[in-house]
Amino acid sequence: MPYADLSGNIRLFYTDDAPQTDGPPLLLVHGWGTDSHQWSWHIDALAARHRVIAADLRGHGYSTVPETGNTPRMMAEDLRGLLDHLDIPQVIAVGHSMGGQVVSILAVEHPERVRALVALDPGYGMAAPVPDGFPRMIAGLRGPHPHAAAEKIDEWCTNAATPAVIRRWHKRRLYGMPPHVLVQAFEAMFTDPGAIGVRPASDDYLARRACPVLSIWADRERANWEAGLLKDGLSTVVCWEGSSHRLHEERPAEFVLVLERWLRHIG
């Protein structure tokens, strides 16, 4: 069965595709308010060469929805538990948006489990004036119409490059999300004590990642910022200007190509 029963009464849904290769599997981690179906654009192509694990984070998709603890740090611990469950010693961890935080936490707190890390327009490195709007967003998520507030936040994630089907896909998943998960995860990313989504907290924490990192951004300023934090000489930062936050969904074939070339580069 594609479920892993973990400590704390958490049950994670996951899929496990592909050949049994010698290299570390790919662990695909979705973003805020979505689920592992987000990787449907990519799994078939990636599974031609790699074992591919795609999981629904706690509070999302088909996984357990706890009343508390829906935070990137607890999600990272769940993924460590999933790797234990599958007897996988090490992965190449790939995360989009909030998933970029989750895999970064996994790499910092459990460095032996992450051979390399891929962050796709990740949910960290926010700088003024963006954080000024977080209290208003959180108030909306806590208000009488949390899904409408989440949809408003999600508008920031798209632009003219985003196909209508991707907009609709994400909107439907947001409206299926438990409101308490949306607000807990958002606060834990950006405003709670220990959150790493806003600078300078992002700098201090992410500088602890020792593995090679491939980072793909839609924003040039944030791409340049992260380039200054990377420790491993095999790390690479790419910027796809003109793309939206959904860049890997808008350009799936290009994402797979860039990822495969980088994986060959790091060996």
Side-chain angles (χ1 to χ4, degrees):
M1 293 292 290
Y3 288 91
D5 292 311
L6 309 178
S7 62
N9 295 318
I10 297 295
R11 196 179 205 211
L12 289 193
F13 172 83
Y14 67 94
T15 55
D16 187 350
D17 291 280
Q20 298 295 318
T21 56
D22 293 334
L26 301 179
L27 175 65
L28 307 183
V29 184
H30 63 81
W32 180 77
T34 178
D35 57 43
S36 59
H37 286 87
Q38 185 182 27
W39 302 103
S40 298
W41 282 267
H42 318 96
I43 288 176
D44 288 340
L46 293 173
R49 295 182 179 86
H50 309 275
R51 183 180 179 184
V52 181
I53 314 296
D56 288 353
L57 297 170
R58 63 163 63 198
H60 294 71
Y62 303 128
S63 292
T64 299
V65 182
E67 286 302 311
T68 60
N70 295 289
T71 70
R73 291 182 187 273
M74 294 304 298
M75 294 167 185
E77 288 302 314
D78 292 342
L79 293 178
R80 179 195 57 78
L82 175 63
L83 299 184
D84 290 344
H85 173 82
L86 296 172
D87 196 26
I88 296 175
Q90 195 173 58
V91 293
I92 296 162
V94 182
H96 171 249
S97 190
M98 181 181 73
Q101 269 206 35
V102 174
V103 296
S104 292
I105 292 168
L106 184 65
V108 169
E109 304 300 335
H110 302 284
E112 74 285 355
R113 309 306 294 266
V114 180
R115 164 67 181 90
L117 186 152
V118 181
L120 304 173
D121 216 49
Y124 53 63
M126 299 294 185
V130 175
D132 295 341
F134 289 161
R136 173 182 49 79
M137 296 177 191
I138 290 168
L141 293 173
R142 290 192 174 278
H145 305 291
H147 293 106
E151 183 183 3
K152 194 69 176 176
I153 294 170
D154 194 65
E155 289 178 2
W156 170 82
C157 299
T158 62
N159 64 15
T162 309
V165 65
I166 294 177
R167 295 173 188 267
R168 174 63 62 183
W169 190 94
H170 282 278
K171 178 178 178 178
R172 295 186 76 250
R173 275 156 178 76
L174 275 175
Y175 274 83
M177 283 290 299
H180 75 279
V181 174
L182 290 171
V183 70
Q184 285 178 24
F186 193 92
E187 289 177 325
M189 281 192 286
F190 300 119
T191 63
D192 281 352
I196 65 168
V198 176
R199 302 181 210 174
S202 295
D203 306 60
D204 298 337
Y205 193 85
L206 298 172
R208 296 168 57 190
R209 298 177 301 182
C211 64
V213 175
L214 169 63
S215 186
I216 304 179
W217 291 91
D219 179 83
R220 175 66 63 184
E221 188 276 332
R222 291 169 72 198
N224 292 340
W225 161 80
E226 185 168 26
L229 299 176
L230 301 178
K231 303 296 187 184
D232 190 284
L234 295 174
S235 295
T236 301
V237 176
V238 177
C239 183
W240 290 349
E241 293 183 272
S243 296
S244 82
H245 185 56
R246 314 280 189 213
L247 72 185
H248 64 308
E249 296 170 32
E250 295 163 359
R251 301 162 71 168
E254 188 173 355
F255 162 63
V256 170
L257 178 63
V258 170
L259 175 60
E260 293 285 10
R261 285 179 174 173
W262 185 71
L263 292 175
R264 288 194 295 270
H265 173 63
I266 68 174

